[in-house]
mmCIF file of all heavy atoms in Angstrom:
data_model
loop_
_atom_site.group_PDB
_atom_site.id
_atom_site.type_symbol
_atom_site.label_atom_id
_atom_site.label_comp_id
_atom_site.label_asym_id
_atom_site.label_seq_id
_atom_site.Cartn_x
_atom_site.Cartn_y
_atom_site.Cartn_z
ATOM 1 N N ASN A 1 29.277 -30.134 158.945
ATOM 2 C CA ASN A 1 28.943 -29.288 157.802
ATOM 3 C C ASN A 1 30.161 -28.935 156.952
ATOM 4 O O ASN A 1 30.099 -28.018 156.134
ATOM 5 C CB ASN A 1 28.259 -28.002 158.293
ATOM 6 C CG ASN A 1 26.930 -28.310 158.933
ATOM 7 O OD1 ASN A 1 26.073 -28.938 158.338
ATOM 8 N ND2 ASN A 1 26.771 -27.903 160.182
ATOM 9 N N ALA A 2 31.262 -29.672 157.126
ATOM 10 C CA ALA A 2 32.452 -29.435 156.315
ATOM 11 C C ALA A 2 32.143 -29.753 154.856
ATOM 12 O O ALA A 2 31.339 -30.633 154.561
ATOM 13 C CB ALA A 2 33.610 -30.302 156.804
ATOM 14 N N GLU A 3 32.768 -28.993 153.965
ATOM 15 C CA GLU A 3 32.576 -29.210 152.534
ATOM 16 C C GLU A 3 33.903 -29.565 151.879
ATOM 17 O O GLU A 3 34.929 -28.990 152.203
ATOM 18 C CB GLU A 3 32.057 -27.944 151.841
ATOM 19 C CG GLU A 3 30.647 -27.566 152.184
ATOM 20 C CD GLU A 3 30.214 -26.356 151.371
ATOM 21 O OE1 GLU A 3 30.762 -25.266 151.614
ATOM 22 O OE2 GLU A 3 29.339 -26.527 150.507
ATOM 23 N N GLN A 4 33.838 -30.506 150.941
ATOM 24 C CA GLN A 4 34.969 -30.791 150.088
ATOM 25 C C GLN A 4 34.756 -30.029 148.793
ATOM 26 O O GLN A 4 33.612 -29.803 148.384
ATOM 27 C CB GLN A 4 35.058 -32.282 149.790
ATOM 28 C CG GLN A 4 35.354 -33.127 151.002
ATOM 29 C CD GLN A 4 35.248 -34.604 150.677
ATOM 30 O OE1 GLN A 4 34.311 -35.031 150.023
ATOM 31 N NE2 GLN A 4 36.215 -35.378 151.137
ATOM 32 N N GLY A 5 35.841 -29.649 148.150
ATOM 33 C CA GLY A 5 35.692 -28.937 146.896
ATOM 34 C C GLY A 5 37.021 -28.608 146.271
ATOM 35 O O GLY A 5 38.050 -29.190 146.605
ATOM 36 N N TRP A 6 36.977 -27.657 145.347
ATOM 37 C CA TRP A 6 38.149 -27.205 144.612
ATOM 38 C C TRP A 6 38.449 -25.773 145.017
ATOM 39 O O TRP A 6 37.553 -24.936 145.059
ATOM 40 C CB TRP A 6 37.890 -27.278 143.115
ATOM 41 C CG TRP A 6 37.572 -28.652 142.632
ATOM 42 C CD1 TRP A 6 36.336 -29.182 142.387
ATOM 43 C CD2 TRP A 6 38.508 -29.688 142.329
ATOM 44 N NE1 TRP A 6 36.444 -30.480 141.957
ATOM 45 C CE2 TRP A 6 37.768 -30.817 141.899
ATOM 46 C CE3 TRP A 6 39.889 -29.772 142.379
ATOM 47 C CZ2 TRP A 6 38.372 -32.007 141.529
ATOM 48 C CZ3 TRP A 6 40.493 -30.960 141.991
ATOM 49 C CH2 TRP A 6 39.743 -32.063 141.575
ATOM 50 N N LEU A 7 39.717 -25.467 145.307
ATOM 51 C CA LEU A 7 40.107 -24.149 145.776
ATOM 52 C C LEU A 7 41.213 -23.567 144.907
ATOM 53 O O LEU A 7 42.177 -24.259 144.568
ATOM 54 C CB LEU A 7 40.597 -24.238 147.223
ATOM 55 C CG LEU A 7 41.103 -22.955 147.877
ATOM 56 C CD1 LEU A 7 39.976 -21.932 148.031
ATOM 57 C CD2 LEU A 7 41.721 -23.271 149.229
ATOM 58 N N LYS A 8 41.043 -22.295 144.564
ATOM 59 C CA LYS A 8 42.095 -21.531 143.893
ATOM 60 C C LYS A 8 42.286 -20.253 144.697
ATOM 61 O O LYS A 8 41.318 -19.562 145.016
ATOM 62 C CB LYS A 8 41.702 -21.181 142.461
ATOM 63 C CG LYS A 8 42.730 -20.295 141.758
ATOM 64 C CD LYS A 8 42.325 -19.962 140.336
ATOM 65 C CE LYS A 8 41.397 -18.784 140.349
ATOM 66 N NZ LYS A 8 41.142 -18.207 139.026
ATOM 67 N N VAL A 9 43.518 -19.950 145.043
ATOM 68 C CA VAL A 9 43.830 -18.715 145.760
ATOM 69 C C VAL A 9 44.837 -17.946 144.913
ATOM 70 O O VAL A 9 45.867 -18.487 144.519
ATOM 71 C CB VAL A 9 44.410 -19.001 147.162
ATOM 72 C CG1 VAL A 9 44.745 -17.709 147.878
ATOM 73 C CG2 VAL A 9 43.446 -19.841 147.983
ATOM 74 N N ASP A 10 44.513 -16.689 144.640
ATOM 75 C CA ASP A 10 45.429 -15.833 143.902
ATOM 76 C C ASP A 10 45.300 -14.402 144.413
ATOM 77 O O ASP A 10 44.674 -14.179 145.464
ATOM 78 C CB ASP A 10 45.186 -15.925 142.395
ATOM 79 C CG ASP A 10 43.777 -15.511 141.976
ATOM 80 O OD1 ASP A 10 43.090 -14.795 142.743
ATOM 81 O OD2 ASP A 10 43.356 -15.889 140.863
ATOM 82 N N GLN A 11 45.860 -13.460 143.700
ATOM 83 C CA GLN A 11 45.850 -12.069 144.157
ATOM 84 C C GLN A 11 44.446 -11.489 144.254
ATOM 85 O O GLN A 11 44.234 -10.459 144.898
ATOM 86 C CB GLN A 11 46.730 -11.178 143.251
ATOM 87 C CG GLN A 11 46.197 -10.971 141.854
ATOM 88 C CD GLN A 11 46.622 -12.053 140.861
ATOM 89 O OE1 GLN A 11 47.074 -13.123 141.252
ATOM 90 N NE2 GLN A 11 46.470 -11.780 139.588
ATOM 91 N N HIS A 12 43.462 -12.141 143.652
ATOM 92 C CA HIS A 12 42.080 -11.663 143.705
ATOM 93 C C HIS A 12 41.294 -12.263 144.867
ATOM 94 O O HIS A 12 40.141 -11.916 145.072
ATOM 95 C CB HIS A 12 41.362 -11.966 142.389
ATOM 96 C CG HIS A 12 42.059 -11.388 141.201
ATOM 97 N ND1 HIS A 12 42.154 -10.034 140.984
ATOM 98 C CD2 HIS A 12 42.735 -11.982 140.196
ATOM 99 C CE1 HIS A 12 42.841 -9.816 139.875
ATOM 100 N NE2 HIS A 12 43.213 -10.979 139.383
ATOM 101 N N GLY A 13 41.893 -13.190 145.596
ATOM 102 C CA GLY A 13 41.215 -13.817 146.721
ATOM 103 C C GLY A 13 41.070 -15.312 146.523
ATOM 104 O O GLY A 13 41.799 -15.921 145.744
ATOM 105 N N ALA A 14 40.122 -15.895 147.212
ATOM 106 C CA ALA A 14 39.905 -17.341 147.172
ATOM 107 C C ALA A 14 38.647 -17.657 146.379
ATOM 108 O O ALA A 14 37.634 -16.977 146.499
ATOM 109 C CB ALA A 14 39.769 -17.887 148.589
ATOM 110 N N ASP A 15 38.729 -18.698 145.557
ATOM 111 C CA ASP A 15 37.574 -19.195 144.812
ATOM 112 C C ASP A 15 37.393 -20.657 145.196
ATOM 113 O O ASP A 15 38.210 -21.506 144.835
ATOM 114 C CB ASP A 15 37.804 -19.054 143.304
ATOM 115 C CG ASP A 15 36.634 -19.602 142.488
ATOM 116 O OD1 ASP A 15 35.479 -19.537 142.976
ATOM 117 O OD2 ASP A 15 36.870 -20.103 141.378
ATOM 118 N N PHE A 16 36.344 -20.952 145.948
ATOM 119 C CA PHE A 16 36.062 -22.314 146.401
ATOM 120 C C PHE A 16 34.818 -22.816 145.688
ATOM 121 O O PHE A 16 33.769 -22.172 145.730
ATOM 122 C CB PHE A 16 35.839 -22.349 147.918
ATOM 123 C CG PHE A 16 35.608 -23.733 148.460
ATOM 124 C CD1 PHE A 16 36.657 -24.616 148.639
ATOM 125 C CD2 PHE A 16 34.331 -24.157 148.797
ATOM 126 C CE1 PHE A 16 36.453 -25.887 149.146
ATOM 127 C CE2 PHE A 16 34.112 -25.421 149.302
ATOM 128 C CZ PHE A 16 35.170 -26.293 149.482
ATOM 129 N N VAL A 17 34.935 -23.968 145.029
ATOM 130 C CA VAL A 17 33.810 -24.591 144.326
ATOM 131 C C VAL A 17 33.522 -25.918 145.016
ATOM 132 O O VAL A 17 34.301 -26.863 144.906
ATOM 133 C CB VAL A 17 34.138 -24.816 142.834
ATOM 134 C CG1 VAL A 17 32.974 -25.490 142.127
ATOM 135 C CG2 VAL A 17 34.516 -23.499 142.164
ATOM 136 N N PRO A 18 32.400 -26.005 145.763
ATOM 137 C CA PRO A 18 32.103 -27.248 146.490
ATOM 138 C C PRO A 18 31.770 -28.403 145.548
ATOM 139 O O PRO A 18 31.264 -28.192 144.443
ATOM 140 C CB PRO A 18 30.875 -26.899 147.334
ATOM 141 C CG PRO A 18 30.587 -25.470 147.106
ATOM 142 C CD PRO A 18 31.420 -24.970 145.983
ATOM 143 N N LEU A 19 32.083 -29.610 146.005
ATOM 144 C CA LEU A 19 31.661 -30.792 145.261
ATOM 145 C C LEU A 19 30.138 -30.875 145.306
ATOM 146 O O LEU A 19 29.517 -30.506 146.302
ATOM 147 C CB LEU A 19 32.237 -32.072 145.879
ATOM 148 C CG LEU A 19 33.746 -32.248 145.866
ATOM 149 C CD1 LEU A 19 34.122 -33.595 146.476
ATOM 150 C CD2 LEU A 19 34.313 -32.121 144.474
ATOM 151 N N THR A 20 29.539 -31.378 144.237
ATOM 152 C CA THR A 20 28.082 -31.509 144.226
ATOM 153 C C THR A 20 27.623 -32.625 145.151
ATOM 154 O O THR A 20 26.517 -32.599 145.667
ATOM 155 C CB THR A 20 27.560 -31.763 142.801
ATOM 156 O OG1 THR A 20 28.259 -32.872 142.242
ATOM 157 C CG2 THR A 20 27.746 -30.541 141.934
ATOM 158 N N LYS A 21 28.484 -33.614 145.382
ATOM 159 C CA LYS A 21 28.165 -34.734 146.272
ATOM 160 C C LYS A 21 29.439 -35.087 147.039
ATOM 161 O O LYS A 21 30.511 -35.193 146.450
ATOM 162 C CB LYS A 21 27.690 -35.925 145.445
ATOM 163 C CG LYS A 21 27.282 -37.125 146.239
ATOM 164 C CD LYS A 21 26.794 -38.225 145.311
ATOM 165 C CE LYS A 21 26.676 -39.517 146.065
ATOM 166 N NZ LYS A 21 26.536 -40.669 145.172
ATOM 167 N N GLN A 22 29.324 -35.228 148.365
ATOM 168 C CA GLN A 22 30.475 -35.525 149.220
ATOM 169 C C GLN A 22 31.281 -36.702 148.677
ATOM 170 O O GLN A 22 30.721 -37.731 148.303
ATOM 171 C CB GLN A 22 29.977 -35.825 150.644
ATOM 172 C CG GLN A 22 31.045 -35.862 151.683
ATOM 173 C CD GLN A 22 31.500 -34.469 152.104
ATOM 174 O OE1 GLN A 22 31.183 -33.470 151.500
ATOM 175 N NE2 GLN A 22 32.292 -34.423 153.155
ATOM 176 N N ASP A 23 32.596 -36.579 148.647
ATOM 177 C CA ASP A 23 33.540 -37.610 148.201
ATOM 178 C C ASP A 23 33.431 -37.966 146.724
ATOM 179 O O ASP A 23 34.037 -38.925 146.279
ATOM 180 C CB ASP A 23 33.413 -38.891 149.034
ATOM 181 C CG ASP A 23 33.857 -38.701 150.469
ATOM 182 O OD1 ASP A 23 34.841 -37.975 150.688
ATOM 183 O OD2 ASP A 23 33.221 -39.279 151.364
ATOM 184 N N ASP A 24 32.668 -37.197 145.925
ATOM 185 C CA ASP A 24 32.512 -37.493 144.498
ATOM 186 C C ASP A 24 33.411 -36.575 143.678
ATOM 187 O O ASP A 24 32.962 -35.628 143.050
ATOM 188 C CB ASP A 24 31.047 -37.335 144.078
ATOM 189 C CG ASP A 24 30.809 -37.739 142.628
ATOM 190 O OD1 ASP A 24 31.693 -38.401 142.043
ATOM 191 O OD2 ASP A 24 29.752 -37.385 142.086
ATOM 192 N N TRP A 25 34.716 -36.876 143.687
ATOM 193 C CA TRP A 25 35.681 -36.026 142.990
ATOM 194 C C TRP A 25 35.528 -36.125 141.479
ATOM 195 O O TRP A 25 35.874 -35.196 140.761
ATOM 196 C CB TRP A 25 37.102 -36.381 143.417
ATOM 197 C CG TRP A 25 37.336 -35.969 144.826
ATOM 198 C CD1 TRP A 25 37.293 -36.783 145.926
ATOM 199 C CD2 TRP A 25 37.576 -34.657 145.311
ATOM 200 N NE1 TRP A 25 37.511 -36.045 147.071
ATOM 201 C CE2 TRP A 25 37.692 -34.736 146.717
ATOM 202 C CE3 TRP A 25 37.704 -33.411 144.703
ATOM 203 C CZ2 TRP A 25 37.930 -33.630 147.520
ATOM 204 C CZ3 TRP A 25 37.952 -32.311 145.505
ATOM 205 C CH2 TRP A 25 38.063 -32.419 146.885
ATOM 206 N N ASN A 26 35.000 -37.230 140.974
ATOM 207 C CA ASN A 26 34.801 -37.359 139.534
ATOM 208 C C ASN A 26 33.532 -36.642 139.068
ATOM 209 O O ASN A 26 33.425 -36.263 137.919
ATOM 210 C CB ASN A 26 34.746 -38.831 139.122
ATOM 211 C CG ASN A 26 36.079 -39.519 139.360
ATOM 212 O OD1 ASN A 26 37.124 -38.916 139.174
ATOM 213 N ND2 ASN A 26 36.031 -40.765 139.789
ATOM 214 N N GLY A 27 32.576 -36.460 139.960
ATOM 215 C CA GLY A 27 31.304 -35.826 139.601
ATOM 216 C C GLY A 27 31.385 -34.321 139.514
ATOM 217 O O GLY A 27 30.523 -33.678 138.922
ATOM 218 N N THR A 28 32.403 -33.736 140.114
ATOM 219 C CA THR A 28 32.605 -32.288 140.051
ATOM 220 C C THR A 28 34.019 -32.042 139.566
ATOM 221 O O THR A 28 34.950 -31.978 140.360
ATOM 222 C CB THR A 28 32.412 -31.631 141.437
ATOM 223 O OG1 THR A 28 31.176 -32.047 141.999
ATOM 224 C CG2 THR A 28 32.427 -30.115 141.322
ATOM 225 N N PRO A 29 34.195 -31.934 138.246
ATOM 226 C CA PRO A 29 35.550 -31.726 137.739
ATOM 227 C C PRO A 29 36.119 -30.384 138.187
ATOM 228 O O PRO A 29 35.375 -29.442 138.452
ATOM 229 C CB PRO A 29 35.383 -31.783 136.221
ATOM 230 C CG PRO A 29 33.939 -31.600 135.964
ATOM 231 C CD PRO A 29 33.197 -31.972 137.210
ATOM 232 N N SER A 30 37.433 -30.325 138.247
ATOM 233 C CA SER A 30 38.107 -29.087 138.628
ATOM 234 C C SER A 30 37.713 -27.975 137.665
ATOM 235 O O SER A 30 37.764 -28.162 136.453
ATOM 236 C CB SER A 30 39.618 -29.287 138.599
ATOM 237 O OG SER A 30 40.278 -28.067 138.856
ATOM 238 N N PRO A 31 37.319 -26.810 138.189
ATOM 239 C CA PRO A 31 36.920 -25.700 137.315
ATOM 240 C C PRO A 31 38.069 -25.159 136.476
ATOM 241 O O PRO A 31 37.836 -24.557 135.434
ATOM 242 C CB PRO A 31 36.440 -24.623 138.294
ATOM 243 C CG PRO A 31 36.219 -25.313 139.590
ATOM 244 C CD PRO A 31 37.120 -26.512 139.599
ATOM 245 N N SER A 32 39.315 -25.348 136.915
ATOM 246 C CA SER A 32 40.471 -24.867 136.157
ATOM 247 C C SER A 32 41.708 -25.615 136.636
ATOM 248 O O SER A 32 41.702 -26.209 137.711
ATOM 249 C CB SER A 32 40.660 -23.357 136.364
ATOM 250 O OG SER A 32 41.267 -23.103 137.616
ATOM 251 N N PRO A 33 42.783 -25.543 135.862
ATOM 252 C CA PRO A 33 44.033 -26.185 136.303
ATOM 253 C C PRO A 33 44.600 -25.577 137.580
ATOM 254 O O PRO A 33 45.372 -26.215 138.282
ATOM 255 C CB PRO A 33 44.993 -25.951 135.128
ATOM 256 C CG PRO A 33 44.137 -25.650 133.955
ATOM 257 C CD PRO A 33 42.886 -25.022 134.498
ATOM 258 N N GLU A 34 44.212 -24.340 137.900
ATOM 259 C CA GLU A 34 44.713 -23.679 139.106
ATOM 260 C C GLU A 34 43.981 -24.109 140.371
ATOM 261 O O GLU A 34 44.431 -23.834 141.469
ATOM 262 C CB GLU A 34 44.607 -22.150 138.970
ATOM 263 C CG GLU A 34 45.534 -21.562 137.932
ATOM 264 C CD GLU A 34 44.953 -21.653 136.525
ATOM 265 O OE1 GLU A 34 43.716 -21.629 136.369
ATOM 266 O OE2 GLU A 34 45.739 -21.781 135.571
ATOM 267 N N HIS A 35 42.820 -24.755 140.241
ATOM 268 C CA HIS A 35 42.064 -25.228 141.404
ATOM 269 C C HIS A 35 42.649 -26.558 141.878
ATOM 270 O O HIS A 35 43.024 -27.398 141.074
ATOM 271 C CB HIS A 35 40.587 -25.429 141.048
ATOM 272 C CG HIS A 35 39.818 -24.154 140.960
ATOM 273 N ND1 HIS A 35 39.881 -23.316 139.868
ATOM 274 C CD2 HIS A 35 38.949 -23.588 141.824
ATOM 275 C CE1 HIS A 35 39.091 -22.279 140.064
ATOM 276 N NE2 HIS A 35 38.508 -22.415 141.250
ATOM 277 N N SER A 36 42.702 -26.748 143.200
ATOM 278 C CA SER A 36 43.187 -28.006 143.765
ATOM 279 C C SER A 36 42.191 -28.511 144.804
ATOM 280 O O SER A 36 41.390 -27.739 145.339
ATOM 281 C CB SER A 36 44.569 -27.808 144.396
ATOM 282 O OG SER A 36 44.505 -26.854 145.427
ATOM 283 N N PRO A 37 42.213 -29.826 145.112
ATOM 284 C CA PRO A 37 41.299 -30.371 146.112
ATOM 285 C C PRO A 37 41.484 -29.662 147.457
ATOM 286 O O PRO A 37 42.603 -29.342 147.856
ATOM 287 C CB PRO A 37 41.706 -31.838 146.220
ATOM 288 C CG PRO A 37 42.394 -32.135 144.935
ATOM 289 C CD PRO A 37 43.071 -30.856 144.529
ATOM 290 N N ALA A 38 40.359 -29.409 148.134
ATOM 291 C CA ALA A 38 40.413 -28.659 149.389
ATOM 292 C C ALA A 38 39.226 -29.010 150.274
ATOM 293 O O ALA A 38 38.304 -29.710 149.859
ATOM 294 C CB ALA A 38 40.418 -27.160 149.102
ATOM 295 N N VAL A 39 39.265 -28.486 151.487
ATOM 296 C CA VAL A 39 38.176 -28.647 152.446
ATOM 297 C C VAL A 39 37.858 -27.271 153.031
ATOM 298 O O VAL A 39 38.732 -26.406 153.112
ATOM 299 C CB VAL A 39 38.548 -29.667 153.548
ATOM 300 C CG1 VAL A 39 39.702 -29.172 154.385
ATOM 301 C CG2 VAL A 39 37.363 -30.021 154.404
ATOM 302 N N SER A 40 36.592 -27.088 153.412
ATOM 303 C CA SER A 40 36.153 -25.829 154.013
ATOM 304 C C SER A 40 35.242 -26.154 155.192
ATOM 305 O O SER A 40 34.339 -26.985 155.070
ATOM 306 C CB SER A 40 35.391 -24.993 152.976
ATOM 307 O OG SER A 40 34.864 -23.823 153.563
ATOM 308 N N LEU A 41 35.484 -25.512 156.331
ATOM 309 C CA LEU A 41 34.632 -25.718 157.489
ATOM 310 C C LEU A 41 34.726 -24.529 158.424
ATOM 311 O O LEU A 41 35.649 -23.723 158.329
ATOM 312 C CB LEU A 41 34.998 -26.999 158.243
ATOM 313 C CG LEU A 41 36.354 -27.012 158.929
ATOM 314 C CD1 LEU A 41 36.178 -27.296 160.409
ATOM 315 C CD2 LEU A 41 37.211 -28.067 158.301
ATOM 316 N N ASP A 42 33.761 -24.432 159.322
ATOM 317 C CA ASP A 42 33.775 -23.399 160.357
ATOM 318 C C ASP A 42 34.435 -23.963 161.605
ATOM 319 O O ASP A 42 34.273 -25.145 161.935
ATOM 320 C CB ASP A 42 32.358 -22.952 160.710
ATOM 321 C CG ASP A 42 31.751 -22.048 159.654
ATOM 322 O OD1 ASP A 42 32.487 -21.548 158.790
ATOM 323 O OD2 ASP A 42 30.524 -21.850 159.694
ATOM 324 N N LEU A 43 35.171 -23.094 162.277
ATOM 325 C CA LEU A 43 35.721 -23.472 163.571
ATOM 326 C C LEU A 43 35.645 -22.267 164.488
ATOM 327 O O LEU A 43 35.481 -21.136 164.048
ATOM 328 C CB LEU A 43 37.148 -24.013 163.448
ATOM 329 C CG LEU A 43 38.198 -23.200 162.731
ATOM 330 C CD1 LEU A 43 38.896 -22.264 163.693
ATOM 331 C CD2 LEU A 43 39.216 -24.145 162.149
ATOM 332 N N ARG A 44 35.711 -22.558 165.769
ATOM 333 C CA ARG A 44 35.550 -21.501 166.772
ATOM 334 C C ARG A 44 36.623 -21.660 167.838
ATOM 335 O O ARG A 44 36.965 -22.767 168.233
ATOM 336 C CB ARG A 44 34.168 -21.607 167.402
ATOM 337 C CG ARG A 44 33.931 -20.561 168.476
ATOM 338 C CD ARG A 44 32.588 -20.662 169.084
ATOM 339 N NE ARG A 44 32.423 -21.967 169.704
ATOM 340 C CZ ARG A 44 31.272 -22.390 170.208
ATOM 341 N NH1 ARG A 44 30.202 -21.647 170.127
ATOM 342 N NH2 ARG A 44 31.198 -23.566 170.772
ATOM 343 N N SER A 45 37.133 -20.512 168.291
ATOM 344 C CA SER A 45 38.127 -20.524 169.355
ATOM 345 C C SER A 45 38.248 -19.132 169.937
ATOM 346 O O SER A 45 37.897 -18.144 169.293
ATOM 347 C CB SER A 45 39.486 -20.972 168.805
ATOM 348 O OG SER A 45 40.449 -20.985 169.837
ATOM 349 N N ASP A 46 38.783 -19.060 171.141
ATOM 350 C CA ASP A 46 39.120 -17.759 171.716
ATOM 351 C C ASP A 46 40.598 -17.448 171.487
ATOM 352 O O ASP A 46 41.153 -16.524 172.068
ATOM 353 C CB ASP A 46 38.766 -17.702 173.198
ATOM 354 C CG ASP A 46 39.511 -18.734 174.029
ATOM 355 O OD1 ASP A 46 40.316 -19.508 173.461
ATOM 356 O OD2 ASP A 46 39.301 -18.784 175.247
ATOM 357 N N ALA A 47 41.241 -18.205 170.591
ATOM 358 C CA ALA A 47 42.661 -18.010 170.291
ATOM 359 C C ALA A 47 42.913 -16.764 169.451
ATOM 360 O O ALA A 47 44.039 -16.305 169.359
ATOM 361 C CB ALA A 47 43.215 -19.227 169.555
#
């Protein structure tokens, strides 16, 4: 269930915009020059 998308992190927090289709970087243009390619997923640990 990992998602690829565009991520911007600043003093206001994180803004993640998922790609509309997996691996389709041209189909979901970057929302702003401050957003960069990223991945998002859940993980679990007792660490």
